[in-house]
Structures are given as structure tokens and as C-alpha cells.
Amino acid sequence: MDLPHHGYRATKPRARAAPPTADPLLFEDTSSTAPPMNSQGFYTPAYNMAGPAGAPQGDAGMNNLFADPMASAAVMYGSSLANQGKDMVNKEISRFMSINKLKHFFAVDSKYVMKKLMLLMFPYTHQDWEVRYHRDTPLTPRHDVNAPDLYIPTMAFITYILLAGMALGIQKRFSPEVLGLCASTALVWLIIEVLAMLLSLYLLTVHTDLSTFDLIAYSGYKYVGMIFTVLCGLLFGSDGYYVALAWSSCALMFFIVRSLKMKILSSLSSDSMGAGASAKPRLRLYITVATAVFQPIIIYWLTSHLVR
């Protein structure tokens, strides 16, 4: 039955509204979450690719690289291949030249270099030209100023090329092609001279202890006189050039004759005696003099175009 109304409304209790929520996140932020726990209640550390905090990224990458057994095996295999290639190269080079013998010609010091340069420019006062030996082995250049070396010819050749470039640049005639032509021409003349000496000694059956390195050294000493000649030409003009050319040519010829005399003329062996043996010393003298006379011609040929 209907209850009477007494002037008031029956009201329902209002439900409180939930606080407003933010927009849903596209990605869940897990930066502040704790590491997962295993079944025994211990935290399980995650694998850190970047390494410890504050460590450089490059060091971490290298550590991870060498920690990989496949990468370590690859590195070891590459090292073994490199060592095998180095051994093969040294073996092939040793077929044509001796590395230890080549090192002998570069065993110099600053004291020897200064004495040798003075000997090349002022050889007239030098008395003892004999190369000294120790147990049938010639002493190294640092212990004997008469011993031929390859350090001075090599450095003089490089200096000559640089000086030629400077001289051509001063005269506004420099170009990479001309500089390459100077270097190749000087090298070709050196090879021709050495081959001519070897062929002459072979045809005349001259038994001497002169090696190919010795001939390269004696032929390469001309670059010292060439440097002196070009410098005098640049500083004092054509007159200074010809005076320096005459001085360096005479000094080099005297040096070559006195040095090769101890190697060629004094190497008469017993097997060369017999018919025509009296002509052997004369032919050896001709070889020595021809080698010395040929030096000024090359010096003039390789330096005259650099001074005008």
C-alpha cells in the first residue's frame, strides 16, 4: 500500500566519483622497477651490453668482442696468416739479397757520416784506404771510414730530388712530372752504371770481393757532389756551378780510383796467371779509370738543367 508523503523527498546516497586519471601511457616505464627475483628470493642481474657505468663504450665493445670465442679464434687465425705471409716475403727477399748483409751497409752513426762526407769532398789528404777486416768479415761502416755504406747514397739521392724540386720551383719550372723524370733518370743511370761494372768484371774474369751493394754504394756517392754543385749554382750562378762541378768531379774521381784500387787492382788471383796474364792488371786499371771518369759526365748530365 502507498505510504503517505509528509512533505519531504526520499533521497539516495550518492556514490563518490573516482579521481580523474591521466591519459593512458603508450609504453610502460620500467626504468625504476627493481630487477626480477628468482624462486629463491634473490635478484637476478640482467646482462649489461654497455658494460659498467662510466666505462667507455669502445672498451666495452672490445671486451665483448674478445669474450666471444669465435672472435678470438678469428683473431688468432688472422695473426697466424699474417706471420706466415711475413715469413714468405722475407724468404722471397732472401733469395735475391741478404737482409743481414743489407743491414751491414746501414750500420752507421753520426761520427762516421761526418768523416765520410769530409772524405768525399777532401780526399787528397787521406792516407790509409784499406778496408779493415775482422775474421774475414769487413768491419761495419761505423768502425771503418773506408767501408762502403748505403746510408749516405740513399739520403743523398732523396736530398738531390728535393733540391731539384726547389731549384725548378725557383725558376718557375716545377711540375710533378718533371720531378718524377729527374728521379727516374738518376735511378736509371745508377742501374746502368752498376750493370756495366758487373758485366766488365765478369767478362774480364776479375775475381774480387766487390759485391753489388759495394758497387751501388760507390756509384751513389756521386749524389753528394751533385748536391754541392746544385747549391753552388743556385747561390752563385753559372760561375759557381762550374767551379763546384770541377771540384766535386776531381774529388770523386780521386776517391773512386783510390777506393777501387784496393778492391780491383790488388785482387790478382793465381788462376788468372798464364797466357795473357800481363794484360790483366792493365785491363783492371782501365776499368777503374773508366768508372772514375764516367762520374763527372753523369754529374753534369743530371745537374746542368737545374741551374740556368
Side-chain angles (χ1 to χ4, degrees), residues 7-297:
Y8 63 90
R9 292 171 53 184
T11 60
K12 296 180 180 181
R14 296 182 178 181
R16 294 186 178 181
T21 59
D23 295 335
L25 297 176
L26 295 178
F27 300 98
E28 183 180 1
D29 186 9
T30 59
S31 60
S32 61
T33 58
M37 299 179 62
N38 56 17
S39 59
Q40 298 179 357
F42 297 98
Y43 289 105
T44 303
Y47 183 74
N48 186 10
M49 292 294 294
Q57 295 294 329
D59 296 343
M62 293 298 295
N63 292 333
N64 294 333
L65 175 63
F66 288 103
D68 189 358
M70 294 298 296
S72 300
V75 171
M76 294 177 62
Y77 182 69
S79 300
S80 63
L81 286 180
N83 292 330
Q84 293 178 4
K86 182 180 178 181
D87 295 337
M88 292 179 61
V89 171
N90 292 334
K91 184 178 179 180
E92 292 297 324
I93 293 177
S94 299
R95 292 176 56 186
F96 301 97
M97 66 179 66
S98 176
I99 301 299
N100 294 330
K101 191 173 183 180
L102 187 61
K103 291 180 180 179
H104 169 84
F105 287 89
F106 285 92
V108 300
D109 53 11
S110 57
K111 185 178 179 180
Y112 166 81
V113 172
M114 293 301 299
K115 287 184 177 181
K116 196 72 170 188
L117 292 177
M118 295 298 296
L119 180 60
L120 289 171
M121 299 306 300
F122 306 97
Y124 308 107
T125 59
H126 192 63
Q127 299 296 329
D128 185 11
W129 293 87
E130 186 176 359
V131 178
R132 295 177 177 84
Y133 287 81
H134 176 68
R135 296 180 180 177
D136 296 334
T137 302
L139 296 178
T140 57
R142 70 163 62 99
H143 298 108
D144 184 13
V145 71
N146 295 323
D149 71 286
L150 290 176
Y151 176 80
I152 292 179
T154 302
M155 293 296 105
F157 177 80
I158 297 174
T159 306
Y160 161 73
I161 300 302
L162 297 177
L163 186 60
M166 185 184 71
L168 294 174
I170 292 175
Q171 302 172 21
K172 308 297 182 182
R173 296 188 293 124
F174 175 80
S175 65
E177 293 79 9
V178 176
L179 191 62
L181 182 62
C182 291
S184 59
T185 303
L187 188 60
V188 167
W189 274 112
L190 178 66
I191 295 174
I192 292 175
E193 183 181 355
V194 172
L195 291 179
M197 280 288 297
L198 290 174
L199 182 61
S200 301
L201 295 176
Y202 174 77
L203 294 178
L204 297 177
T205 62
V206 177
H207 300 276
T208 177
D209 57 351
L210 278 174
S211 64
T212 304
F213 292 142
D214 292 327
L215 297 179
I216 293 176
Y218 288 123
S219 299
Y221 286 137
K222 70 170 66 69
Y223 296 116
V224 176
M226 292 164 59
I227 294 171
F228 175 72
T229 303
V230 174
L231 283 176
C232 291
L234 293 177
L235 295 176
F236 306 106
S238 60
D239 294 336
Y241 169 79
Y242 287 108
V243 171
L245 177 63
W247 178 271
S248 59
S249 299
C250 294
L252 183 60
M253 285 192 298
F254 187 86
F255 173 82
I256 292 295
V257 169
R258 294 302 302 268
S259 298
L260 293 183
K261 179 181 178 182
M262 305 303 299
K263 294 286 188 177
I264 296 179
L265 297 181
S266 62
S267 61
L268 291 174
S269 57
S270 59
D271 57 352
S272 63
M273 298 301 178
S278 60
K280 289 290 184 178
R282 190 182 306 113
L283 292 177
R284 297 182 184 209
L285 180 62
Y286 289 161
I287 294 176
T288 305
V289 174
T291 303
V293 173
F294 196 57
Q295 305 301 316
I297 300 175

